[in-house]
């Protein structure tokens, strides 16, 4: 695995360990677990202040096949009570969002499940913005 990617995974894991957010416990653990599986596509980007080197924002995206989507849907349903949530269903997809804000950061968790009768794919996006 690429050294930069390993560093970004370590950095994000370390940053989230310092923040007491409820949703991160279940959803972040699932993303971490699935990010290393061959059937999932995972990317992580860290945005830093060029002057100070301080992390300003972290964005993680995980794409996976539909047969693995149920675990994420359950996690989002369970964690939806720990933040501001939205849920949008149409003929093609279900989109769930959880937003949490503390004095130090804003966290947005988004799950998009596609498929008409059965989920054919899932995408999880986690955005952490330092305040």
């Amino acid at each position: 695995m690429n050294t930069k990617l390993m560093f970004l995974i370590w950095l994000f894991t370390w940053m989230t360990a310092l923040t007491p957010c409820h949703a991160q416990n279940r959803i972040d653990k699932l993303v971490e677990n699935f990010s290393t599986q061959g059937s999932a596509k995972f990317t992580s980007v860290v945005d830093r202040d060029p002057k100070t080197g301080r992390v300003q924002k972290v964005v993680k995206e995980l794409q996976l096949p539909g047969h693995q989507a149920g675990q994420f849907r359950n996690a989002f349903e369970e964690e939806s009570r720990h933040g501001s949530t939205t849920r949008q269903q149409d003929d093609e997809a279900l989109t769930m969002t959880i937003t949490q804000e503390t004095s130090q950061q804003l966290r947005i968790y988004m799950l998009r499940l596609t498929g008409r009768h059965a989920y054919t794919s899932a995408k999880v996006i986690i955005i952490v913005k330092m305040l």
Side-chain angles (χ1 to χ4, degrees):
M1 189 179 275
N2 183 320
T3 306
K4 285 183 181 180
L5 181 59
M6 289 298 293
F7 173 74
L8 292 175
I9 292 170
W10 172 84
L11 178 65
F12 187 80
T13 303
W14 180 78
M15 285 175 32
T16 57
L18 297 178
T19 305
C21 289
H22 294 281
Q24 81 182 43
N25 294 332
R26 178 104 188 264
I27 297 168
D28 282 347
K29 285 179 184 177
L30 280 173
V31 168
E32 185 178 327
N33 289 339
F34 279 97
S35 69
T36 60
Q37 293 185 2
S39 60
K41 179 182 174 189
F42 175 74
T43 56
S44 180
V45 177
V46 177
D47 182 30
R48 294 180 176 277
D49 182 321
K51 294 179 182 174
T52 64
R54 184 174 167 251
V55 174
Q56 294 179 316
K57 181 170 48 173
V58 177
V59 179
K60 295 172 86 174
E61 181 178 305
L62 178 72
Q63 296 178 12
L64 57 150
H67 67 276
Q68 298 170 327
Q71 293 179 54
F72 282 96
R73 182 177 179 171
N74 292 341
F76 269 76
E77 293 283 351
E78 184 177 300
E79 300 297 344
S80 65
R81 65 184 182 273
H82 296 298
S84 174
T85 63
T86 62
R87 179 186 176 109
Q88 183 178 4
Q89 176 86 49
D90 60 30
D91 289 342
E92 299 298 321
L94 167 65
T95 303
M96 302 170 73
T97 306
I98 302 172
T99 305
Q100 298 176 333
E101 187 170 357
T102 67
S103 61
Q104 297 175 350
Q105 60 183 226
L106 172 66
R107 300 178 71 85
I108 301 169
Y109 295 84
M110 188 199 80
L111 172 65
R112 181 163 176 83
L113 303 168
T114 56
R116 195 167 213 154
H117 300 291
Y119 298 126
T120 57
S121 67
K123 180 190 285 189
V124 180
I125 298 174
I126 302 172
I127 302 170
V128 180
K129 182 171 177 22
M130 306 309 158
L131 302 176

